[in-house]
Amino acid sequence: MTDIPGETVLATLRAGVVLLGARDELRYANKAAADLGVVGDGHLDSSVLRGLVSHVRRSGKSRDAELELPRKGGGEAVSVRIRVTALPDDSIVIEAEDITELHRVERVRRDFVANVSHELKTPVGAMQLLAEALQDAVDDPEAAARFTSRIQHESARMARLVSELLELSRVQGAEATPEPVDVDVDRIILDALDRARTGAAAKNIFLNVVGERGLVTYGSESQLATALGNLIDNAINYSPVDTTVTIETGNGGAELTVSVTDEGIGIAEADLDRIFERFYRADPARSRATGGTGLGLAIVKHIAGNHGGRVYVSSTPGTGSTFTLLLPSRTVRSAALAPTEGEM
């Protein structure tokens, strides 16, 4: 067996490793320790860490702790899990593990639970009040009908929220990803249009399909139909009556695009960077009025990522918005693939 020098092994570790001598002099530190901010200029950078070392020397017992250390080069602090251990020769070994991402995920989880609780509390509270009002209006058929309609609206909103939470959980990996297959883009457009026709007809919105036919991508047909359906639903919900929503396809060789363009209210520039966040609403009042949950675009983003693609938006307030799915293409170019126009 080939002997490998210990320092060579330590240098390859992602965890930081520091060795201090009997007088706390720095005898060794690997690159990870320096990158995490545990050491700098030949000594321990953190006064808290120096205190832990002193405690371990006095007690002879190992200590574990979590510290926030300044990030090398500035920026957000690094969260580090530290273990300090005394060796028989009075040396001290310090192990440091970067747990910044774990803390970030935990913050996201807490925020998500808080947002879900808030979103569910609103329709549940509304239904409770409406049920009480309905009970008091048994002798007033007109009022009873009005309260019943509102209860139906709130229950539908809650059902949609629960459904989209389950969908978001699925596309984020709670369930195994379906076996990828070739997906006919024309078919997912037809599927999404079939779901959207009722909402479009209610506002006399024309659904127009242009671009290349016969495009093929690779992945889950049901997920891609959900993503495109969410984009079309958004376009309809945020468009005035008697306008057009256009679905346009294009083939760029290695990638294909499916764009949804509306003639609606548009999105302010300040909101563009956050529009795909869970529960984020650029116009909360309008979103509540249309039954929006703030999850539709987050689902689209995750589905696009699951397929090795992405989604982006361009918008002009007062003019409209275009959301574009960029997906891997498995289409073989053919002269027969001519641009088409009209409602599918």
Side-chain angles (χ1 to χ4, degrees), residues 152-192:
Q152 290 174 332
H153 174 80
E154 293 296 340
S155 62
R157 178 183 171 192
M158 187 164 63
R160 181 175 180 182
L161 175 60
V162 171
S163 175
E164 293 199 346
L165 283 170
L166 292 172
E167 182 66 33
L168 182 61
S169 176
R170 280 194 290 269
V171 302
Q172 285 185 306
E175 295 182 3
T177 304
E179 190 68 27
V181 296
D182 283 352
V183 178
D184 183 343
V185 174
D186 291 342
R187 190 161 59 238
I188 65 171
I189 291 175
L190 283 171
D191 187 358

Side-chain angles (χ1 to χ4, degrees), residues 212 215-216 250-257 327-333:
E212 292 193 58
L215 301 182
V216 179
N251 185 20
E255 296 174 319
L256 62 84
T257 58
L327 300 168
S329 175
R330 291 173 67 88
T331 306
V332 178
R333 277 197 172 274

Side-chain angles (χ1 to χ4, degrees), residues 22 40 44 80 105 121 123 147 161 243 246-247 275 302 317:
L44 297 181
V80 180
V105 170
K121 183 178 179 180
F147 293 140
L161 175 60
T243 55
T246 300
I247 300 92
I275 202 70
H302 281 286

Side-chain angles (χ1 to χ4, degrees), residues 287-336:
S287 184
R288 283 193 297 269
T290 60
T293 63
L295 292 174
L297 292 178
I299 291 171
V300 173
K301 178 181 177 181
H302 281 286
I303 290 175
N306 289 349
H307 288 75
R310 61 189 178 94
V311 59
Y312 57 91
V313 58
S314 59
S315 184
T316 303
T319 300
S321 306
T322 297
F323 287 84
T324 301
L325 275 171
L326 189 68
L327 300 168
S329 175
R330 291 173 67 88
T331 306
V332 178
R333 277 197 172 274
S334 167

Side-chain angles (χ1 to χ4, degrees), residues 19-333:
L19 178 64
L20 301 178
R23 297 184 178 182
D24 290 346
E25 71 275 14
L26 183 64
R27 293 173 56 186
Y28 174 79
N30 65 357
K31 182 177 183 299
D35 291 342
L36 291 173
V38 178
V39 295
D41 297 327
H43 59 82
L44 297 181
D45 264 2
S46 168
S47 59
V48 176
L49 185 52
R50 291 195 292 270
L52 284 173
V53 170
S54 297
H55 179 87
V56 170
R57 284 199 182 283
R58 290 193 303 271
S59 67
K61 296 180 180 180
S62 298
R63 285 289 304 272
D64 296 296
E66 290 186 7
L67 306 178
E68 296 285 325
L69 300 177
R71 185 177 293 276
K72 191 176 180 181
E76 183 183 358
V78 181
S79 299
V80 180
R81 183 181 290 131
I82 296 287
R83 182 173 181 82
V84 182
T85 305
L87 299 180
D89 63 353
D90 289 335
S91 298
I92 294 286
V93 172
I94 301 171
E95 304 167 67
E97 179 188 3
D98 187 351
I99 57 172
T100 307
E101 181 63 15
L102 292 177
H103 280 195
R104 186 194 69 79
V105 170
E106 180 60 22
R107 286 196 301 271
V108 169
R109 187 194 66 80
R110 287 197 303 267
D111 291 345
F112 183 66
V113 170
N115 282 326
V116 169
S117 300
H118 174 74
E119 294 292 335
L120 286 173
K121 183 178 179 180
T122 301
V124 168
M127 285 192 290
Q128 183 179 6
L129 292 174
L130 288 165
E132 293 172 359
L134 179 60
Q135 191 174 28
D136 294 336
V138 290
D139 296 326
D140 185 347
E142 185 177 338
R146 185 169 67 253
F147 293 140
T148 301
S149 176
R150 288 297 304 165
I151 289 173
Q152 290 174 332
H153 174 80
E154 293 296 340
S155 62
R157 178 183 171 192
M158 187 164 63
R160 181 175 180 182
L161 175 60
V162 171
S163 175
E164 293 199 346
L165 283 170
L166 292 172
E167 182 66 33
L168 182 61
S169 176
R170 280 194 290 269
V171 302
Q172 285 185 306
E175 295 182 3
T177 304
E179 190 68 27
V181 296
D182 283 352
V183 178
D184 183 343
V185 174
D186 291 342
R187 190 161 59 238
I188 65 171
I189 291 175
L190 283 171
D191 187 358
L193 289 177
D194 284 341
R195 292 193 302 163
R197 289 192 198 281
T198 301
K203 299 176 71 173
N204 197 32
I205 290 175
F206 178 62
L207 299 175
N208 188 35
V209 181
V210 301
E212 292 193 58
R213 301 285 172 87
L215 301 182
V216 179
T217 186
Y218 190 67
S220 165
E221 183 171 325
S222 61
Q223 284 193 11
L224 290 171
T226 295
L228 183 57
N230 286 355
L231 293 181
I232 295 174
D233 284 345
N234 260 21
I236 293 171
N237 289 336
Y238 287 90
S239 292
V241 298
D242 300 322
T243 55
T244 297
V245 169
T246 300
I247 300 92
E248 182 173 4
T249 56
N251 185 20
E255 296 174 319
L256 62 84
T257 58
V258 184
S259 300
V260 179
T261 301
D262 62 58
E263 300 171 357
I265 61 175
I267 304 166
E269 185 176 353
D271 295 314
L272 288 177
D273 289 339
R274 301 191 60 192
I275 202 70
F276 295 101
E277 293 179 16
R278 291 174 295 189
F279 296 110
Y280 186 78
R281 298 177 176 96
D283 186 345
R286 187 180 181 92
S287 184
R288 283 193 297 269
T290 60
T293 63
L295 292 174
L297 292 178
I299 291 171
V300 173
K301 178 181 177 181
H302 281 286
I303 290 175
N306 289 349
H307 288 75
R310 61 189 178 94
V311 59
Y312 57 91
V313 58
S314 59
S315 184
T316 303
T319 300
S321 306
T322 297
F323 287 84
T324 301
L325 275 171
L326 189 68
L327 300 168
S329 175
R330 291 173 67 88
T331 306
V332 178
R333 277 197 172 274

